[in-house]
Amino acid sequence: MTKINSSLHSSRRKSRKSHFGAPSSIRRVIMSAPLNKELREKYNVRSIPIRKDDEVMITRGSNKGREAKVTSVYRLKYLVHLERVSREKSNGQSVPIGIHPSKCVITKLKLDKDRESILERIKKGREIKAKAKET
């Protein structure tokens, strides 16, 4: 079997090393979440790196179906913490439950000019790719 992408390792050992040793800038990209159907059609983008103040719906686990706002993005642990998604400790203290971004769907984006330019850039790339397929 030939290597598909020469910039990535096919070795399990090296792939894990690059994943868990990734710098924050690359972790941001790894921590992308898919957009829901309405946003996907509106922006012509499938997924985007998650950020604080996005609104998401959990798609997997015991909290499946719950909608919440992202309170923090914990890049070191590859997790996001959501508003009102927490558990009680034995001493009564409430702690947020960490959820991986791939197990969420973004329902509302927090847009600023940087985020809009990212969406526009991805959209242009997709349109160019679609035109290339047609010809």
Side-chain angles (χ1 to χ4, degrees), residues 3 10 19 25 28-29 35 42 47-48 50 56 65 69 72-73 76 78-79 85 125:
K3 202 171 204 185
S10 55
H19 178 80
S25 58
R28 175 183 163 272
V29 177
L35 301 178
K42 183 179 178 185
S47 67
I48 193 164
I50 203 161
V56 299
K69 196 176 194 179
S72 71
V73 178
L76 190 69
Y78 288 107
L79 297 171
V85 179

Side-chain angles (χ1 to χ4, degrees), residues 8 15-34 47-50 73-75 77-80 100-103:
L8 297 173
S15 295
R16 286 179 58 83
K17 185 177 194 281
S18 65
H19 178 80
F20 294 110
S24 184
S25 58
I26 293 170
R27 284 177 187 245
R28 175 183 163 272
V29 177
I30 294 170
M31 292 178 72
S32 291
S47 67
I48 193 164
I50 203 161
V73 178
Y74 203 152
R75 287 189 190 166
K77 291 186 175 180
Y78 288 107
L79 297 171
V80 292
H100 195 275
S102 67
K103 307 303 174 200

Side-chain angles (χ1 to χ4, degrees), residues 44-63:
N44 195 18
V45 173
R46 187 169 185 83
S47 67
I48 193 164
I50 203 161
R51 67 168 286 183
K52 189 178 172 182
D53 295 329
D54 281 346
E55 287 182 25
V56 299
M57 187 177 82
I58 303 169
T59 56
R60 292 285 182 271
S62 56
N63 291 303

